[in-house]
Amino acid sequence: MSGAVLVALAAAIGNFLQGWDNATIAGSILYIKREFQLESEPTIEGLIVAMSLIGATVVTTCSGPISDWLGRRPMLIISSMLYFLSSLVMLWSPNVYILLFARLLDGFGIGLAVTLVPLYISETAPTEIRGLLNTLPQFTGSAGMFFSYCMVFAMSLTPAPSWRLMLGVLSIPSLVYFALTLFFLPESPRWLVSKGRMVEAKKVLQRLRGREDVTSEMALLVEGLGVGGDTAIEEYIIGPANEFSNAEDPSATKEQIKLYGTAEGLSWIAKPVTGQSSIGLVSRKGSMTNPSGLVDPLVKLFGSVHEKLTETGSMRGSTLFPHFGSMFSVGGNQLRNEDWDEESVAREGDDYDSEAAAADDSDDNLQSPLISRQATSVDRDVPAATQGSMRQGSLVQGEPAGNTGIGGGWQLAWKWSEADGVFKRIYLHEEGGPGSRRGSLISLPGGDPPTLTDGEIVQAAALVSQSALYNKELMHQHPVGPAMIHPSETAAKGPSWSDLFEPGVKHALIVGVGIQILQQFSGINGVLYYTPQILEQAGVGYLLSNLGLGSTSASFLISCVTTLLMLPCIAVAMRLMDISGRRTLLLTTIPVLVASLLILVVGSLIDFNSGVNAFISTLSVIVYFCCFVMGFGPIPNILCSEIFPTRVRGLCIAICALTFWICDIIVTYTLPVMLNSVGLGGVFGMYAVVCIVAWVFVFLKVPETKGMPLEVITEFFSVGAKAKQAEAVSSS
């Protein structure tokens, strides 16, 4: 997975530049005030700092829809150009007005990077390490702050520190970022699929995953294009066909369901069961497991997945069924690799010209089918209207068939629904290990993933909904099988504001917007911008007076040490993000934030001697920063990049980012005024109250998303939101 890691590192340099800018303006504002005589005008001082936030807010309002239109990569290229241009203008700035304009341009670049980098990484990262890679922006941002504070500290020791030079140095790393975005970063494969550019998407996935067979993930990306839909949680016992054919009760065969996968081979038989799956039990009895009604049932639904993973081993492999069968029969001619998604739309009635597919190897038209018809016989269980189509060649000729794993122990399969006359998509999740021929289930606490052989069955929970690969509306247009019309035909209309009112999307927006508001009003960005002044006001100069440093240089040095200590804390968070999980980290670190803030308040209210006060203030700020970057810093952006469907992800993240920047402006612009009015203790006391509220919100509303494919996460939100609506209706 080195390809995905390197791409995430390159993209995260955008946050390195943001961190660099945050620290540089925090240090240079002290000298800007002196040159422009702003000591008595805190409003202008706040505006200089907040102007970049205003720019970020303005660009965020349109960044999501534009990124859905142009792509993620072009927006990152534009961000790097804005960083470079703004740094040159700040280097020149002859007066406050030019400086304000430069800060506005800088804000445009920051807004694009902060909004789109987590989105880009989430869409390119493998499921198993998505949390780790999406913590990289926090790490690089803090690294940027550290190097910037080191630079500012060194310049503060000179006879005449130049704030213009401090701000202008940003042009050097921004050029590096520009080169990487232009020549190294690929486009997001999910965005490419949403635009019907399937050949490009496949090549990007092969580069990111380091393997040729990406069949299952390509199918997953297509399935994730829908918004909403009726999703049900079902429970199956799954095994080879001969396992169930030998059942003691011959009538039981009527209950059997044939499942089809993305790989070529034999299909498997599923038998519906009830009451065996922890996910199913929670979905049916969520109100019983939550008598108070305070904790969101969605939190319990997500939790049931991870509780089961804890019992059976969370990283047992990406496939339950390494040889899980395909919905396509064996035999007949194979499609060439380059024909996999070519246009192939020449069709007269039920006839299909398969050679038309090979005629144009470069066609990425939205009409291009994901699967091509072959003139071979197929499984007799499939309706005749679709029989001619149920074949798919291997992506690479001669390569063994791939598996159905889509990451995090989830599998992708399909079944034919006689009732609806359509294919149903199924996300499968193992809930039990191999059993005996009598169907008993044996739990496997860890170890290797099970391999289905004769006489073995597994128990699984399933999220079942209509497949994006097959449009029900095409039933009367002589369809030739699932995916014969490219799924992007349905999704190509792009995001719609009406999609935001779909229950699952609306529920996800409540979580995303809520956690962004609470993160900002915990005061972190305001504290970061004004750390030198806060430490100076706390008397930190007393601690370093023996070194011969002035109070300003001493505060810069403490800021260097603080940001340096943050880096190993973020490294620990990167390791834990996909093990302990996002929710656990938040619930663990937020109480430490509250404690550190309350200690800071006590230290400011009780007058010890100068050394004790300075020590308490400095230690509290360091602990606050280090715990913040482990949880409340990176996780809100990680969550917001995970919980929205592909088609509206850019739009929804823009809404969350807009909330982020508006709250950031309020906090940053009002902090100088609050410091003057209520003092350091009062400000941090307010932040402590907000952190307590944030902990309650996380406990009640924020689910655990570790180790789950993005498409599965959005399905869970849809199921949970609709179940909650049904429960509300039944109780009223």
Side-chain angles (χ1 to χ4, degrees):
M1 297 181 183
S2 59
V5 174
L6 292 175
V7 164
L9 275 170
I13 293 179
N15 293 78
F16 175 91
L17 300 179
Q18 182 218 7
W20 182 289
D21 178 77
N22 286 351
T24 305
I25 193 63
S28 61
I29 191 67
L30 300 174
Y31 304 104
I32 293 172
K33 284 198 305 181
R34 294 172 188 172
E35 178 170 335
F36 296 119
Q37 300 177 353
L38 302 177
E39 286 83 356
S40 60
E41 299 184 54
T43 301
I44 301 298
E45 173 192 349
L47 188 60
I48 291 174
V49 176
M51 186 58 71
S52 65
L53 308 182
I54 295 173
T57 304
V58 171
V59 79
T60 297
T61 58
C62 57
S63 62
I66 293 178
S67 71
D68 286 335
W69 172 45
L70 291 179
R72 319 313 191 197
R73 177 174 169 269
M75 301 301 285
L76 294 180
I77 294 174
I78 293 172
S79 172
S80 65
M81 295 171 63
L82 288 168
Y83 272 127
F84 179 71
L85 179 61
S86 64
S87 62
L88 294 182
V89 178
M90 285 188 285
L91 180 62
W92 168 61
S93 297
N95 54 54
V96 171
Y97 304 105
I98 299 297
L99 178 60
L100 289 174
F101 174 72
R103 296 290 298 161
L104 183 67
L105 292 178
D106 183 54
F108 291 158
I110 290 174
L112 292 177
V114 171
T115 303
L116 297 176
V117 167
L119 167 63
Y120 179 83
I121 293 177
S122 283
E123 291 188 341
T124 57
T127 298
E128 291 79 6
I129 58 171
R130 188 179 61 240
L132 183 152
L133 295 185
N134 239 333
T135 313
L136 279 175
Q138 185 72 51
F139 185 87
T140 57
S142 297
M145 292 172 59
F146 168 69
F147 288 116
S148 178
Y149 273 127
C150 289
M151 177 197 69
V152 171
F153 170 70
M155 289 187 176
S156 70
L157 300 178
T158 62
S162 170
W163 61 263
R164 290 181 176 84
L165 186 58
M166 293 178 186
L167 296 174
V169 171
L170 181 67
S171 60
I172 299 174
S174 64
L175 272 180
V176 176
Y177 186 45
F178 173 74
L180 288 173
T181 55
L182 189 62
F183 300 111
F184 181 72
L185 292 187
E187 184 52 86
S188 161
R190 281 179 168 85
W191 182 85
L192 290 171
V193 166
S194 72
K195 299 301 179 183
R197 294 159 63 175
M198 310 299 290
V199 173
E200 293 179 63
K202 186 188 70 174
K203 290 179 180 178
V204 171
L205 272 181
Q206 289 172 336
R207 171 187 168 187
L208 293 174
R209 303 296 179 257
R211 64 175 185 267
E212 291 295 317
D213 183 7
V214 290
T215 313
S216 295
E217 193 163 359
M218 284 294 295
L220 174 68
L221 301 193
V222 173
E223 290 291 358
L225 293 177
V227 175
D230 294 327
T231 303
I233 295 180
E234 299 179 1
E235 303 164 61
Y236 300 134
I237 292 176
I238 305 173
N242 62 354
E243 173 65 28
F244 294 104
S245 63
N246 295 331
E248 297 178 4
D249 183 9
S251 63
T253 58
K254 296 181 180 180
E255 301 177 0
Q256 296 174 7
I257 301 170
K258 183 160 288 188
L259 301 183
Y260 307 99
T262 56
E264 185 179 0
L266 299 175
S267 58
W268 293 83
I269 298 298
K271 193 173 183 179
V273 294
T274 306
Q276 303 295 319
S277 162
S278 60
I279 298 175
L281 286 171
V282 171
S283 67
R284 289 191 301 272
K285 302 180 180 180
S287 57
M288 295 176 61
T289 59
N290 178 30
S292 65
L294 294 177
V295 179
D296 195 321
L298 185 67
V299 173
K300 203 72 177 178
L301 191 61
F302 274 86
S304 65
V305 178
H306 301 294
E307 288 170 8
K308 197 65 183 179
L309 285 175
T310 301
E311 296 172 8
T312 61
S314 59
M315 303 298 286
R316 293 178 53 187
S318 61
T319 60
L320 300 179
F321 325 123
H323 305 293
F324 194 93
S326 171
M327 62 189 295
F328 314 104
S329 304
V330 180
N333 297 327
Q334 300 294 317
L335 283 176
R336 293 187 298 118
N337 178 31
E338 63 268 25
D339 294 339
W340 184 71
D341 74 324
E342 299 310 320
E343 176 147 359
S344 317
V345 296
R347 192 186 334 173
E348 296 180 6
D350 287 342
D351 294 331
Y352 181 82
D353 182 5
S354 60
E355 294 183 359
D360 184 1
D361 289 345
S362 62
D363 190 356
D364 287 335
N365 194 286
L366 290 181
Q367 305 288 332
S368 59
L370 192 62
I371 303 167
S372 297
R373 177 180 179 180
Q374 296 292 319
T376 57
S377 61
V378 293
D379 202 306
R380 289 190 296 272
D381 293 338
V382 181
T386 61
Q387 281 187 3
S389 63
M390 301 199 58
R391 293 198 38 77
Q392 180 187 25
S394 175
L395 279 180
V396 178
Q397 192 171 2
E399 183 180 315
N403 57 56
T404 61
I406 55 176
W410 289 86
Q411 319 298 314
L412 174 63
W414 292 269
K415 71 174 182 178
W416 175 262
S417 173
E418 291 287 355
D420 300 322
V422 295
F423 278 94
K424 295 282 190 177
R425 179 206 58 231
I426 305 175
Y427 294 134
L428 290 167
H429 184 267
E430 182 190 9
E431 295 256 327
S436 70
R437 293 186 64 83
R438 292 182 296 275
S440 61
L441 295 173
I442 301 173
S443 176
L444 296 178
D448 295 330
T451 301
L452 283 180
T453 59
D454 289 343
E456 291 184 348
I457 58 177
V458 295
Q459 175 188 338
L463 291 173
V464 183
S465 63
Q466 182 173 324
S467 174
L469 293 175
Y470 188 75
N471 193 333
K472 186 176 181 180
E473 298 173 357
L474 301 175
M475 283 297 293
H476 304 295
Q477 301 178 24
H478 304 288
V480 291
M484 284 306 98
I485 193 156
H486 194 284
S488 291
E489 273 205 356
T490 302
K493 63 180 182 180
S496 169
W497 288 102
S498 61
D499 292 333
L500 302 182
F501 297 97
E502 194 276 328
V505 177
K506 186 164 60 175
H507 199 150
L509 275 173
I510 293 173
V511 173
V513 170
I515 200 168
Q516 292 287 3
I517 291 173
L518 292 169
Q519 184 211 46
Q520 285 307 300
F521 281 99
S522 69
I524 180 63
N525 278 320
V527 176
L528 286 175
Y529 284 128
Y530 292 97
T531 293
Q533 289 177 262
I534 290 173
L535 294 178
E536 184 177 355
Q537 189 174 353
V540 73
Y542 179 86
L543 291 177
L544 300 175
S545 58
N546 293 333
L547 297 179
L549 297 177
S551 60
T552 299
S553 297
S555 66
F556 291 154
L557 180 59
I558 291 295
S559 296
C560 291
V561 175
T562 301
T563 51
L564 180 62
L565 292 175
M566 288 161 60
L567 296 178
C569 295
I570 301 172
V572 172
M574 291 172 67
R575 173 63 178 158
L576 296 177
M577 198 64 68
D578 293 304
I579 299 176
S580 300
R582 292 76 154 138
R583 174 180 166 87
T584 301
L585 279 175
L586 285 174
L587 293 177
T588 304
T589 57
I590 291 178
V592 182
L593 296 182
V594 175
S596 63
L597 290 169
L598 292 178
I599 292 174
L600 185 62
V601 171
V602 171
S604 64
L605 293 179
I606 301 177
D607 188 14
F608 303 105
N609 60 59
S610 299
V612 173
N613 278 20
F615 176 78
I616 290 176
S617 297
T618 303
L619 181 63
S620 298
V621 169
I622 291 175
V623 171
Y624 174 83
F625 282 159
C626 291
C627 288
F628 190 93
V629 297
M630 290 184 67
F632 221 177
I635 292 177
N637 283 340
I638 293 176
L639 284 172
C640 289
S641 65
E642 292 177 330
I643 60 179
F644 302 114
T646 298
R647 200 166 87 193
V648 294
R649 186 172 292 130
L651 181 59
C652 291
I653 286 182
I655 293 173
C656 294
L658 183 62
T659 304
F660 171 95
W661 291 116
I662 290 174
C663 295
D664 196 355
I665 290 173
I666 294 173
V667 170
T668 306
Y669 196 77
T670 57
L671 184 59
V673 179
M674 289 195 298
L675 284 174
N676 290 334
S677 58
V678 298
L680 192 67
V683 169
F684 277 88
M686 295 177 187
Y687 294 160
V689 173
V690 173
C691 287
I692 294 173
V693 174
W695 189 91
V696 174
F697 179 82
V698 171
F699 181 78
L700 297 180
K701 293 290 184 182
V702 178
E704 181 55 72
T705 60
K706 68 174 181 178
M708 299 177 70
L710 299 182
E711 290 73 15
V712 175
I713 293 172
T714 59
E715 286 291 322
F716 264 101
F717 266 94
S718 179
V719 171
K722 290 177 181 177
K724 188 175 181 180
Q725 281 187 341
E727 184 178 332
V729 171
S730 61
S731 61
S732 60

